[in-house]
Amino acid sequence: MTPLIPLTRDLVLIGGGHAHALLLRRWGMNPLPGVRLTLIDPGPLTAYSGMLPGFVAGHYDAATPQIDLVRLARFAGARLILGRASHLDPVAGEVTVGDRRVGFDAASLDIGVTSEMPGLPGFAEHGVPAKPLGRLARDWAVFRAGEGPARVAVIGGGVAGAELVMAAAHGLRHREARVTLIEKDRVLGAVSDSARALVLERMERLGIEVIEGAGVARVAADRVTLDDGRKVVSDFSIGAAGARPQGWLAQSGLVLTEGFVEIGPTLQSSAPQVFATGDCAHMEFDPRPKAGVYAVRQAPVLFDNLRAALSGGRMRDYRPQKDYLKLVSLGGKSAMAEKWGRAVAHPALWLWKDRIDRRFMQKLSDLPEMGNARLPDPVAEGVREALGDKPMCGGCGAKVGRGALREALAGLPAQSRADVVALPGDDAGLIVTGGARQVISTDHLRAMVEDPDLMTRIAAIHALGDIWAMAARPQAATVSLILPRMSAEMQRRTMAEIMRAAREVLDAAGAHLLGGHSSLGSELTVGFTVTGLCEREPVTLGGARPGAALILTKPIGSGTIMAAEMARSAPGPVVARAWEAMVQPQGRASEILAGAQAMTDVTGFGLAGHLSGICEASGCGAELRVAEVPLMEGALELAEAGTRSTLFADNMAGAGAVVIGAGGARTDLMFDPQTAGGLLAAVDAADAERLLAELRAAGYPAALVGQMVEEPGLRLV
């Protein structure tokens, strides 16, 4: 048997820039055993700068220039931390993300640059920076889709500003557009005279007003005021001037040049374990202008040298080219090529640029299938069937099926203690001591995300669901952990992240974390045993009466989305929003629904399975209005594409006598296993609208999804 290789080194990539995106692809194809790879970036998508002018011009849709970091991280086996880095401590080997510290043995910076524009009066409120690219991509899509006259100002007349202003003029030709380029010095002062003349001629043909030698004094919602008092009408002001390094680098202790991280030929900074690439880096050994072509060509050297730094290997030098071919979009499907001071424009050059850009994006989206480890031959009968044709889901998708669980529980002897009350069908038990009513439950989850902080938050919310479902107040908790086999230092780092996350969730819920137990195993598993106190009799599965309305506090679909994420078929933003839904606590919802006739949390057995449990315990039936059940964004599309959790079939079989009206993907989602799902409550019909309004006011996307009925069984209508 191949030994399990322990994790011994942490590699942290800070920023999802072009070099890091390419590195993730290479890492997925050739990882270094023993290294835990982490990517930190503010969002699940990062924009590819080469295609952004084409998007502004209308040549590409919003998705085309976006690099999906969630998919890339899954391919590379990396944990993804969605957050903005704010500090780097090379001595301690830590990067700060929010109020969280992430340890590293080697780190790499690819965070690009930011803009000086926010320092301009009014820009923060009314302007849109060209970098970082994400906000411009989002806001422009909304603006371009509007109607009526369009007035745009681009501040900054470098190559980036010139491309954007021409793209804006072309993209708004369906509207009565007035587009202005403002430059405090000379437009395109850094390019050759022939290239400048060619671009200015193209701007004139597009009707762009060019203002040179004028600084900007203020930006307002409908105008840009210049230093000399002139006013330029603008409803959409883009800041493409004053690119500067990220300010937090100044406190890193790294040697900087004008705020940029100084690097040598091996791409190492003054701290040998910290590398930097792309626009945030300054090549002290051979200075070059900021351009994406250098980041792309640095990627293979960065990949090799990070591996060498973590394995004791030999590094190699990066040698930048003296000049490079500049392809500049000219608004329409035409481009200019410039090198060695010569420039030419032609539609064929845009086709060439488009082909280069699409090839780059295809490399990061059409990721190769690396294949699973081959089974030995022979194997016992049933092994291949048990493994199936896809990886086992994590979270509640990895639970034992309801049928097997019922059979096991049915064989248990009846409890005999007077102070312990078993509640048939409920996940929590009731302990009565000196008149105090305490509920207790335990739950653990096989990790479905690589980030132990996020996984801990999901697991804690999930475990507390049983307490909240009984309208109890969380009291205390212990944690049970299985960590992947790793070095002592990595154990320390990981345990610190997990315990901090657990404390935050439990403290917010009003529960005290007492401690717990940990061990090493093959993969991360996080569990909690939780207790809660009931001021009155707990709300259970039994007690629902015909005519009661059914309220659901969270949308469903997490099992399908997480199964798709494992297969790299779920869009990054869909996954990120599912994570956000899963970590939403249900404490306030539990308080609002405390007077419910019956209540449960919707978890592994799916909405239909848990509603069937209420029906069985209450001795009546229910109608579930499938069309009114809220779904997580993207879940229906993934289900229609055929994605199913590994627990789906068991949930269909274990839900009991379910009468299904119209079938289809939406109906199938009623059997989708949920992790850290919402509360499902049967409430008096007369109170339903009031409770629904209170839940929505408290921030829950709650909905009325059905009603209890006389006839036993569950009907999906």
Side-chain angles (χ1 to χ4, degrees), residues 367-609:
L367 301 169
E369 292 296 334
M370 301 310 295
N372 297 321
R374 296 183 62 181
L375 288 174
D377 189 24
V379 294
E381 291 182 349
V383 166
R384 288 182 172 82
E385 291 77 9
L387 284 173
D389 57 359
K390 60 181 180 180
M392 184 176 68
C393 292
C396 267
K399 289 185 72 162
V400 173
R402 192 177 188 186
L405 185 60
R406 276 182 164 177
E407 287 184 22
L409 294 175
L412 293 177
Q415 61 88 18
S416 58
R417 291 185 62 104
D419 56 351
V420 177
V421 181
L423 302 171
D426 281 283
D427 291 329
L430 176 64
I431 301 172
V432 181
T433 306
R437 291 179 291 269
Q438 183 187 53
V439 293
I440 183 169
S441 181
T442 189
D443 224 320
H444 72 270
L445 298 173
R446 175 179 181 261
M448 58 186 177
V449 296
E450 297 293 335
D451 180 13
D453 178 284
L454 176 59
M455 192 61 230
T456 300
R457 294 176 189 277
I458 292 172
I461 294 293
H462 180 83
L464 288 167
D466 291 333
I467 305 301
W468 287 324
M470 303 185 85
R473 291 182 293 105
Q475 177 195 26
T478 58
V479 61
S480 178
L481 296 176
I482 301 176
L483 298 181
R485 190 178 177 190
M486 56 179 61
S487 66
E489 174 59 21
M490 290 189 66
Q491 290 175 39
R492 182 195 66 78
R493 292 173 185 166
T494 307
M495 289 289 288
E497 289 192 57
I498 288 173
M499 297 308 290
R500 176 188 156 277
R503 279 289 303 271
E504 284 191 4
V505 174
L506 293 167
D507 284 354
H512 182 70
L513 180 60
L514 298 172
H517 177 77
S518 63
S519 63
L520 298 178
S522 60
E523 60 184 355
L524 177 64
T525 300
V526 185
F528 292 88
T529 297
V530 289
T531 64
L533 295 174
C534 297
E535 296 178 355
R536 55 184 179 181
E537 289 298 320
V539 181
T540 65
L541 295 181
R545 300 184 295 274
L550 292 169
I551 291 179
L552 179 65
T553 64
K554 277 189 185 183
I556 65 171
S558 63
T560 294
I561 292 171
M562 292 301 106
E565 191 275 327
M566 290 186 68
R568 306 198 310 273
S569 59
V574 166
V575 176
R577 282 187 276 274
W579 290 339
E580 291 174 2
M582 283 187 275
V583 297
Q584 183 186 28
Q586 298 291 289
R588 179 60 186 139
S590 174
E591 294 173 0
I592 293 170
L593 297 169
Q597 298 174 12
M599 189 155 58
T600 184
D601 59 330
V602 180
T603 54
F605 300 141
L607 179 58

Side-chain angles (χ1 to χ4, degrees), residues 181-397:
L181 178 65
I182 304 168
E183 169 55 43
K184 65 180 180 180
D185 296 314
R186 185 171 183 258
V187 169
L188 293 172
V191 303
S192 67
D193 289 341
S194 62
R196 180 176 185 274
L198 192 156
V199 172
L200 287 175
E201 184 272 335
R202 183 57 55 98
M203 288 184 187
E204 183 178 2
R205 286 166 53 185
L206 286 168
I208 297 168
E209 180 185 6
V210 177
I211 299 176
E212 294 181 294
V216 174
R218 178 174 294 276
V219 177
D222 59 352
R223 65 189 178 276
V224 174
T225 302
L226 305 182
D227 287 338
D228 58 14
R230 283 182 290 171
K231 293 178 173 56
V232 177
V233 293
S234 176
D235 304 312
F236 196 96
S237 300
I238 302 172
R244 62 178 175 84
Q246 303 279 357
W248 60 268
L249 292 173
Q251 284 74 50
S252 66
L254 301 175
V255 174
L256 307 178
T257 297
E258 296 181 348
F260 298 95
V261 179
E262 195 172 288
I263 58 172
T266 59
L267 309 181
Q268 290 170 287
S269 71
S270 55
Q273 75 277 26
V274 178
F275 294 68
T277 184
D279 287 352
C280 72
H282 171 70
M283 292 183 283
E284 179 272 335
F285 62 98
D286 196 353
R288 287 288 183 272
K290 304 300 180 188
V293 65
Y294 295 115
V296 170
R297 297 192 180 186
Q298 285 168 349
V301 177
L302 180 67
F303 174 78
D304 289 344
N305 288 355
L306 284 170
R307 289 172 63 91
L310 293 164
S311 63
R314 185 174 181 177
M315 298 190 191
R316 64 188 180 103
D317 289 348
Y318 167 70
R319 296 182 176 86
Q321 64 271 42
K322 294 299 181 184
D323 196 8
Y324 62 94
L325 180 67
K326 306 170 188 68
L327 290 171
V328 179
S329 298
L330 299 175
K333 291 187 177 181
S334 181
M336 177 192 73
E338 194 263 352
K339 189 175 183 180
W340 305 120
R342 300 181 60 186
V344 62
H346 196 277
L349 291 172
W350 188 90
L351 294 174
W352 185 26
K353 182 180 186 303
D354 176 64
R355 189 176 301 113
I356 292 171
D357 290 339
R358 288 185 184 275
R359 189 180 301 126
F360 177 82
M361 291 299 292
Q362 186 176 23
K363 183 182 295 186
L364 297 175
S365 57
D366 295 346
L367 301 169
E369 292 296 334
M370 301 310 295
N372 297 321
R374 296 183 62 181
L375 288 174
D377 189 24
V379 294
E381 291 182 349
V383 166
R384 288 182 172 82
E385 291 77 9
L387 284 173
D389 57 359
K390 60 181 180 180
M392 184 176 68
C393 292
C396 267

